[in-house]
Amino acid sequence: MENKNSTVLLIGGAGYVGSVVTQHLLEMGYAVRCFDNLIYNNHAAPESFLGHPNYDFKYGDLCHPNALENAAEGVSHVVLLAGLVGDPITKKYPDESDNINANGVQDSFEILKGKGIQKLIFISTCSNYGLMEEGVLASEESTLTPLSLYAQAKVAAEEKLMSIKGEVDYCPTVLRFATAFGLSPRMRFDLTVNEFTRELAIGNELLVFDADTWRPYCHVRDFSRLIAKVLEEDPDKVAFEVFNAGGDENNFTKRALVNEIVKLLPNSKVAYKEHGGDPRNYRVDFTKVREVLEFEPAYSVPMGVKEIIEQVGNSFFKNLEGRENHFGNYEI
Ligand SMILES: NC(=O)c1ccc[n+]([C@@H]2O[C@H](COP(=O)([O-])OP(=O)(O)OC[C@H]3O[C@@H](n4cnc5c(N)ncnc54)[C@H](O)[C@@H]3O)[C@@H](O)[C@H]2O)c1
């Protein structure tokens, strides 16, 4: 296997996305260092990597400058994934959210200066678009309408990163992720595709709010491919650039998503209701990532649905009782 002589620091690398990125980068020959405070007691996710010769785990909090500085020692690239992720968890813990997602993340952009880091990828979200006019696709240039504390902190962090052009010695890139789906060593069933599929696969009736609202989705393995692509790309192409991360064909309404699941689980019971608590409705344009980085997702939403149904059939994820927090962001 090719040894890339590069160590990638994954801040928040023990989470749902980070665990799959770890796997992918190790397979590509990178050394991976994970820096994470295992805020959901999500120890089980990184455990399987512990014996790998190119894997290194550093326990610590992004908000502690010394811990972050130590973790960044000698690394070539940084991917910043850490934070309280999602609208519900940030609403439940607004102070911690401010502390981590706003202050901790923005301070880290400063702390990581002058450390010999080549690239820094900040993982943001398409939730920044919040509510788009019917029929209008959100491009990187669209007005941002962050509706939650979660998205507001991402928008503020993006602005901070873009504002320090000329002051940093690393090459920063922002990836605005679509909503993730697919299998990971740390599953999350508080994400739409995973949640809907599991609920129907275990035989529960599913209640769907606002069925005709749009959302883009992307498989966690595709996010890993895209992160690797940015790491390998000519810095001129990615420095201080923002990319929507996903693919046009994975924009779905909730109703269309349910229809895909029902194709595989025809006996499903689904009820629909309007006026749920989540007003987000956005369909996203992925032209830039396709044209500039030649990135297209390899995994469709139906592929992700199928892999979860298969594993429920193998008796995984049936009974989460007592382990809910390993499978979603509920409590810190
Ligand atoms: N999952 C999605 O659908 C989605 C969509 C858009 C954007 N994103 C972004 O992708 C990134 C990863 O999301 P995820 O789904 O893997 O979330 P996750 O909650 O599974 O992972 C986050 C990780 O960060 C760690 N963490 C939290 N606070 C920390 C702190 N103070 N110091 C160190 N580590 C800390 C947690 O322990 C966890 O391992 C996030 O930045 C998120 O905003 C995710």
Side-chain angles (χ1 to χ4, degrees), residues 42 46 52 59 88 95 113 126 139 192 218 239 245 262 264:
N42 44 317
H52 195 292
Y59 178 84
D95 293 344
K113 284 184 193 169
C126 286
S139 80
T192 314
C218 186
V262 171
L264 298 174

Side-chain angles (χ1 to χ4, degrees), residues 16-17 36 39 42 61-62 81 150 154 180 186 188 329:
Y16 173 59
V17 176
D36 198 300
I39 206 162
N42 44 317
D61 188 331
L62 162 76
L81 298 136
Y150 168 63
K154 290 288 191 188
R186 191 220 170 204
R188 283 187 56 192
N329 296 352

Side-chain angles (χ1 to χ4, degrees), residues 188-200:
R188 283 187 56 192
F189 289 109
D190 54 347
L191 296 170
T192 314
V193 173
N194 297 351
E195 179 194 357
F196 284 13
T197 307
R198 175 180 175 271
E199 286 297 315
L200 294 176

Side-chain angles (χ1 to χ4, degrees), residues 11-12 34-39 57-64 67-68 71 82:
I11 306 177
C34 175
F35 176 62
D36 198 300
N37 68 350
L38 304 171
I39 206 162
F57 185 90
K58 295 236 181 291
Y59 178 84
D61 188 331
L62 162 76
C63 302
H64 297 159
L68 178 59

Side-chain angles (χ1 to χ4, degrees), residues 260-318:
E260 288 300 332
I261 304 171
V262 171
K263 278 184 199 164
L264 298 174
L265 298 169
N267 297 325
S268 296
K269 286 202 192 99
V270 184
Y272 293 99
K273 219 170 166 179
E274 290 305 302
H275 309 301
D278 184 352
R280 284 177 297 172
N281 185 14
Y282 50 94
R283 207 171 155 183
V284 173
D285 181 346
F286 295 99
T287 307
K288 182 175 175 186
V289 77
R290 188 174 58 246
E291 291 187 349
V292 178
L293 299 181
E294 293 169 17
F295 172 80
E296 293 250 36
Y299 299 89
S300 64
V301 168
M303 286 158 99
V305 166
K306 189 162 174 270
E307 69 179 20
I308 290 169
I309 293 174
E310 274 169 9
Q311 295 318 325
V312 171
N314 284 332
S315 94
F316 287 97
F317 319 132
K318 278 194 166 160

Side-chain angles (χ1 to χ4, degrees), residues 7-8 35 100 123 135 144 156 163 174 180 186 206 229 312:
T7 300
V8 183
F35 176 62
I100 304 170
I123 306 301
L144 302 178
S163 76
V174 173
R186 191 220 170 204
L206 180 69
K229 221 170 209 303
V312 171

